[in-house]
Amino acid sequence: MVRSNQTSMVTEFFFSGFPKFEDGNLLFFIPLFIIYIFIIIGNLIVFFAVRMDTHMHNPMYNFISIFSFLEIWYTTATIPKMLCNLVSKKRTISIMGCLLQMYFFHSLGNSEGILLTTMAIDRYVAICNPLRYPTIMTPRLCTQLSIGSCIFGFLVLLPEIAWISTLPFCGPNQIHQIFCDFEPVLRLACTDTSMILIEDVIHAIAIIFSVLIISLSYIRIITVILRIPSAEGRQKAFSTCASHLGVFLMFYGSVSLMYLRFSATFPPILDTIIALMFAVLAPFFNPIIYSLRNKDMKIAIKKLLCLQKVFYASAS
């Protein structure tokens, strides 16, 4: 679906990253729909389990609950449109809709990245400076860090989105992806696209900086844990970090594959798989990791489910 008149302005984009065979689209729609429902329910359970259990009201679980809340909207920015495109022959999105999708998807992703960095610092203070932890990570500071992560994540992208909104789009309108993203959209602009390299460098610096902070924090944490004399103490310390480390590896691993490749090009099918990894599969596994790898979270979830059963029993 390409515009034949190069001078006419494009008003919508066409997604070409979806499967080519129409009859098999339902095979993709059903698993994606089930995964999306699981992501919403799973993260809601984690969020409310932390909020409704007073024993979970500490910095680590507070950050986890906010991360789960962000995951709900992070996936909602892209997956519902993917589902619509799988059952629609049109598979288009307006330019304004595309800009909004990019803004919310990447703003929420940025907020999650900042929050993961904050969580790594929190674990560093808790394990490396346990005596000073209560005075450093106060409830007020945790609230400020949580709110600051979200505000900064949303504000930092405004100039970039505002700049893209001023670009003319007058040629091909095929986005070779399953959702709107910076690089495929910028390639469609009828102007100098040398800014794509600058965009890549800015994104790479932000990703590498966050990865370095988290990696250095965990190197220091592991060093301290290995010095703990008792095996029980080491196991307990590792268990508090294992879930966060798993989420960090999954989140930044998939993001790095997508955005730390610069001019390297992948086959379209591989591009789609990588996009699904960080937009769908990482959010899918996060509630599983937090619930299965954490004893306190398991107890809190059981309490929440028991409360629901009592509520429905009394209501009936």
Side-chain angles (χ1 to χ4, degrees):
M1 185 175 178
V2 179
R3 303 281 181 177
S4 58
N5 184 1
Q6 294 295 314
T7 61
S8 62
M9 297 302 293
V10 170
T11 58
E12 60 184 16
F13 295 124
F14 174 80
F15 293 106
S16 62
F18 288 92
K20 302 296 182 183
F21 45 95
E22 299 294 333
D23 296 336
N25 285 348
L26 198 61
L27 296 174
F28 293 91
F29 177 89
I30 293 174
L32 183 59
F33 179 74
I34 293 172
I35 288 172
Y36 178 58
I37 296 300
F38 178 85
I39 291 170
I40 300 299
I41 295 174
N43 282 293
L44 280 175
I45 288 173
V46 171
F47 177 78
F48 283 111
V50 172
R51 292 296 164 183
M52 297 183 70
D53 190 338
T54 54
H55 295 95
M56 306 284 281
H57 292 178
N58 59 54
M60 182 178 75
Y61 291 115
N62 178 56
F63 292 139
I64 288 175
S65 70
I66 294 170
F67 186 84
S68 295
F69 183 75
L70 290 174
E71 284 280 73
I72 294 170
W73 300 108
Y74 175 75
T75 52
T76 301
T78 56
I79 295 181
K81 185 61 178 175
M82 290 184 206
L83 291 170
C84 291
N85 288 332
L86 282 171
V87 295
S88 171
K89 293 182 179 180
K90 200 176 180 184
R91 295 179 182 174
T92 59
I93 187 171
S94 67
I95 290 181
M96 181 55 69
C98 187
L99 291 172
L100 287 173
Q101 187 180 69
M102 283 194 299
Y103 175 68
F104 283 106
F105 178 70
H106 284 286
S107 293
L108 289 160
N110 283 344
S111 299
E112 289 184 359
I114 298 168
L115 200 60
L116 283 173
T117 307
T118 304
M119 291 162 72
I121 296 172
D122 169 71
R123 290 299 83 204
Y124 170 81
V125 177
I127 293 174
C128 299
N129 295 284
L131 298 178
R132 297 180 58 196
Y133 181 73
T135 58
I136 295 174
M137 298 301 293
T138 60
R140 182 180 178 181
L141 178 61
C142 291
T143 302
Q144 291 173 341
L145 289 171
S146 301
I147 295 174
S149 298
C150 297
I151 292 176
F152 183 78
F154 276 82
L155 288 181
V156 72
L157 272 180
L158 278 177
E160 192 171 358
I161 294 295
W163 169 68
I164 294 174
S165 68
T166 64
L167 298 178
F169 295 94
C170 54
N173 66 341
Q174 288 192 22
I175 295 179
H176 299 289
Q177 192 49 275
I178 55 177
F179 56 83
C180 289
D181 207 356
F182 291 119
E183 193 268 345
V185 169
L186 285 173
R187 290 193 182 280
L188 301 178
C190 302
T191 184
D192 181 21
T193 57
S194 59
M195 281 293 291
I196 294 176
L197 180 59
I198 299 175
E199 292 280 317
D200 287 344
V201 170
I202 293 172
H203 295 157
I205 290 173
I207 294 168
I208 292 171
F209 182 71
S210 297
V211 169
L212 279 175
I213 291 177
I214 297 174
S215 300
L216 290 172
S217 297
Y218 271 97
I219 289 171
R220 176 59 178 161
I221 287 169
I222 292 171
T223 303
V224 172
I225 290 175
L226 292 175
R227 293 176 184 171
I228 297 175
S230 67
E232 184 181 353
R234 287 195 299 271
Q235 185 178 0
K236 185 178 180 181
F238 270 122
S239 67
T240 62
C241 302
S243 57
H244 175 257
L245 190 58
V247 171
F248 157 68
L249 292 172
M250 190 169 296
F251 180 86
Y252 276 105
S254 55
V255 167
S256 298
L257 281 174
M258 192 70 183
Y259 298 109
L260 294 184
R261 55 185 181 180
F262 297 100
S263 59
T265 56
F266 295 153
I269 184 64
L270 187 56
D271 263 337
T272 301
I273 292 171
I274 294 172
L276 285 172
M277 280 178 60
F278 80 90
V280 178
L281 292 182
F284 172 75
F285 284 110
N286 287 346
I288 298 175
I289 293 171
Y290 281 130
S291 58
L292 294 181
R293 295 289 302 173
N294 192 297
K295 183 180 178 181
D296 293 333
M297 186 66 75
K298 287 181 186 177
I299 295 171
I301 291 173
K302 286 179 181 178
K303 287 182 181 178
L304 177 65
L305 296 177
C306 288
L307 281 174
Q308 286 181 326
K309 289 179 181 178
V310 171
F311 174 77
Y312 286 122
S314 61
S316 59

